[in-house]
Amino acid sequence: MMRNLPSYLGGRWIEGAGARQTLFNPATEEPLAQVSSEGADLTAALDYARRTGGPALRALSFAERGALLKGMAQALQAQRDELLELAIANGGNTRSDAKFDVDGAIFTLTTYAELGAQLGAQRFIIDGEGIQLGRSPRFHGQHVRVPRPGVAVHINAFNFPAWGLAEKAAAALLAGMPVLAKPATSSALVAHRIMEIVVEKKLLPEGALSLLAGAPRDLPALLGAQDVLAFTGSGDTGMKIRALSNIIRHSVRVNVEADSLNAAVLGPDVEPGSDMYELFLKDVLRDVTQKAGQKCTAIRRVLVPAARAATVRDDLVEGLRALRVGNPALDEVRMGPLASGAQLADVREGVGRLAAEGKLAFGGAAPLAAEGVPAGKGFFISPVLAEFPQDAPAVSVHAREVFGPVASLLPYSGGGAQAAAIVARGNGGLVSSVYSDDAKFLEEIVAAIAPHHGRLYLGHPKIEMPPGPGTVLPQLVHGGPGHAGGGEELGGVRALDFYTQRTALQGSRPVIQKLLGIQPT
Ligand code: NAP
């Protein structure tokens, strides 16, 4: 009999009723589990988190909450092999893709555990310096941040079931807010196993972490003024959530991480064959194919000086041709399938749009005979490189992200202003990267594209073991304006802003300083 995935709500495991959705191995199409969220009392589950998990977390200091995160990181590390196997089976991940997700989760939890230790025993986060407000130094102001007494709902995308859950939960739990996480259904096995580990090992106070397996139903519509909602997924779903009447009426804080047409720009100074050029090629090839391109930070638009476009195209095509696509359970395979049949249909349609506006230099939407799977099985697509002439009026390459192993080559004149104008056509992104050693070019392009991004990656061959632009680090912010959803996550202590209220305290300086445990001045 196939396994049913229960939700963990209100401090217990609950199996949903009614019609079930099936989770598959996307390489073999073998069904792995079934899930339904029908019948679960979501209102009661949110209340339980607010009433039980919230007070328990807020009774702890930052250092103590940090210690809880450390416990989670250690428990995931101890079960790492099992989590990797699940990611390979349910996510279409190669082992390397699976490590990217699971190790990313462990690293992020560890980073926030350390931050908790640094914040120590303080109850309030002190926000900036105290301010003298009147003629007398006695009238004093101090901004502080305090945890919200609601619940943090986290709705995650299918591509990072471990990291997505951990990076959001780390910030909320450290801030003192209980979490109700809803992983994307198609790849939920990894997040579900993490929840089981947390429950089995009693790693968190009761009510601090809940998990809704299956469809979200009306979850966002149940949130109120002290609750927050962090969402990662498509811009369309983000828009629907933002438009809900309770979200508008109660000013519910919503953070959206959506689609992004990230760019990589090769500077005019970079000679083919140089270390900088090789780094650029490596980063582009990795980003297009890692997790079969299903990465919100993947490079989608590759900008190269027109004079170098043919060379770059030939080098990228050579790299893509050498890639082995197939069952990610095989060691020699470098790229697995897309996560679901729906994703495959979506990506094929996107490749069709690019082919209609430009030209395919490599790959296409046709069915792919993948290694190590029964003929005709699996949601596979070949990597795709589309190319466009300089100054092409193409629209879709700048407007619609194709969430698969797909990138487009866009020649520019070689000037920073023109490259920046092309990058800006993406209308807001998570991260773009620039590869150049020309100080003038860098100054021009960085200033021009920074307002359109949450993060800029300046690639340089002298950096040892560079992670590439696609790796989100917990110390730096993740998010971006416009098309990317306008959200911001992570960024060290900045991540706590979303889960806390900034309050300005006004009053007598000694009283405020005593209250906050600040040395009298
Ligand atoms: P999605 O359909 O927006 O789903 C994302 C999450 O939202 C899933 O957990 C989904 O649950 C849930 N959801 C769906 N409809 C909802 C609603 N009305 N209210 C509340 N939650 C809802 O996106 P996707 O299927 O993961 O991917 C589609 C596209 O999103 C991709 O093609 C890509 O362009 C973009 N994407 C962006 C990122 C990023 O990190 N920026 C990551 C992944 C995808 P169910 O799974 O149960 O439906």
Side-chain angles (χ1 to χ4, degrees):
M1 233 194 39
M2 208 183 330
R3 181 170 173 217
N4 286 326
L5 284 191
S7 294
Y8 189 76
L9 300 171
R12 61 199 177 92
W13 292 103
I14 298 171
E15 268 193 32
R20 297 177 191 284
Q21 286 173 266
T22 304
L23 279 63
F24 292 95
N25 177 325
T28 61
E29 298 185 43
E30 173 201 355
L32 300 174
Q34 287 191 320
V35 64
S36 166
S37 61
E38 287 307 314
D41 187 341
L42 300 183
T43 302
L46 292 167
D47 271 350
Y48 181 80
R50 290 183 197 110
R51 278 186 292 105
T52 312
L57 285 168
R58 291 190 295 277
L60 303 174
S61 66
F62 284 103
E64 289 165 330
R65 295 196 290 263
L68 296 177
L69 300 181
K70 188 169 173 195
M72 278 178 78
Q74 286 167 339
L76 298 196
Q77 183 67 42
Q79 308 286 124
R80 180 173 178 264
D81 285 344
E82 185 193 353
L83 293 169
L84 296 181
E85 290 305 326
L86 281 175
I88 292 168
N90 185 209
N93 290 188
T94 62
R95 182 162 291 273
S96 159
D97 291 341
K99 285 182 193 165
F100 193 61
D101 185 25
V102 173
D103 291 346
I106 296 169
F107 180 57
T108 305
L109 286 165
T110 305
T111 303
Y112 278 89
E114 284 163 8
L115 186 62
Q118 283 162 27
L119 291 169
Q122 67 191 63
R123 287 207 44 214
F124 300 89
I125 298 176
I126 309 296
D127 184 350
E129 298 285 314
I131 307 152
Q132 181 174 327
L133 296 174
R135 271 207 213 134
S136 138
R138 216 165 237 286
F139 189 31
H140 187 72
Q142 175 69 57
H143 291 97
V144 294
R145 301 203 72 106
V146 286
R148 304 187 132 218
V151 56
V153 167
H154 292 163
I155 299 181
N156 278 309
F158 64 82
N159 53 347
F160 286 101
W163 177 80
L165 186 145
E167 59 97 19
K168 285 185 171 63
L173 295 171
L174 183 59
M177 277 194 92
V179 172
L180 191 153
K182 197 221 96 58
T185 302
S186 63
S187 63
L189 277 184
V190 173
H192 189 267
R193 183 65 193 126
I194 291 175
M195 187 74 239
E196 282 183 342
I197 294 167
V198 168
V199 175
E200 280 163 16
K201 299 194 185 304
K202 297 191 177 10
L203 297 173
L204 293 172
E206 269 299 317
L209 183 64
S210 310
L211 181 110
L212 177 64
R217 295 184 25 225
D218 60 348
L219 184 63
L222 303 175
L223 302 183
Q226 286 294 330
D227 302 323
V228 303
L229 173 62
F231 166 80
T232 298
S234 69
D236 286 348
T237 310
M239 215 151 57
K240 276 190 213 153
I241 290 174
R242 278 202 174 110
L244 291 171
S245 62
N246 65 304
I247 300 285
I248 296 168
R249 185 177 314 117
H250 302 301
S251 312
V252 179
R253 269 194 197 165
V254 176
N255 192 75
V256 174
E257 300 289 345
D259 322 339
S260 176
L261 289 144
N262 313 302
V265 182
L266 183 70
D269 54 308
V270 182
E271 296 288 338
S274 64
D275 289 349
M276 183 74 91
Y277 182 82
E278 294 302 323
L279 176 72
F280 161 81
L281 281 185
K282 196 170 151 202
D283 281 356
V284 173
L285 287 168
R286 185 209 296 110
D287 257 34
V288 175
T289 57
Q290 188 174 43
K291 287 196 138 262
Q294 299 163 113
K295 225 169 49 176
C296 50
T297 51
I299 296 167
R300 306 290 178 200
R301 299 177 298 156
V302 185
L303 273 68
V304 292
R308 301 254 191 265
T311 309
V312 172
R313 177 199 58 214
D314 293 348
D315 288 341
L316 288 177
V317 165
E318 193 186 318
L320 295 176
R321 186 168 286 130
L323 190 85
R324 292 178 71 169
V325 182
N327 190 335
L330 301 176
D331 282 348
E332 59 274 24
V333 160
R334 290 288 160 269
M335 191 178 94
L338 297 172
S340 65
Q343 271 301 113
L344 178 60
D346 207 43
V347 170
R348 282 193 172 142
E349 203 184 306
V351 171
R353 279 195 306 271
L354 293 176
E357 286 191 352
K359 196 172 100 191
L360 299 186
F362 186 81
L368 182 81
E371 286 185 43
V373 292
K377 288 287 182 196
F379 309 126
F380 291 95
I381 193 162
S382 87
V384 173
L385 183 69
E387 59 178 331
F388 291 81
Q390 197 183 338
D391 301 323
V395 173
S396 108
V397 67
H398 302 293
R400 300 272 297 272
E401 183 184 27
V402 185
F403 209 62
V406 180
S408 297
L409 196 62
L410 298 160
Y412 72 98
S413 64
Q418 204 217 357
I422 296 172
V423 173
R425 288 186 68 189
N427 203 18
L430 296 171
V431 55
S432 281
S433 45
V434 184
Y435 298 80
S436 171
D437 242 340
D438 178 335
K440 195 163 166 294
F441 178 80
L442 279 175
E443 193 186 319
E444 188 173 19
I445 193 161
V446 167
I449 67 175
H452 301 280
H453 294 86
R455 181 162 63 88
L456 291 182
Y457 184 89
L458 308 180
H460 202 283
K462 291 263 161 61
I463 302 171
E464 282 165 39
M465 310 232 310
T471 300
V472 174
L473 295 170
Q475 304 93 322
L476 299 181
V477 292
H478 172 59
H483 196 93
E488 189 177 283
E489 292 182 340
L490 299 171
V493 74
R494 293 170 188 83
L496 306 194
D497 288 1
F498 185 63
Y499 301 99
T500 53
Q501 175 65 36
R502 193 198 326 265
T503 306
L505 293 179
Q506 273 178 301
S508 152
R509 187 173 62 177
V511 171
I512 287 176
Q513 290 182 331
K514 181 145 189 276
L515 181 74
L516 300 179
I518 296 174
Q519 287 297 326
T521 49

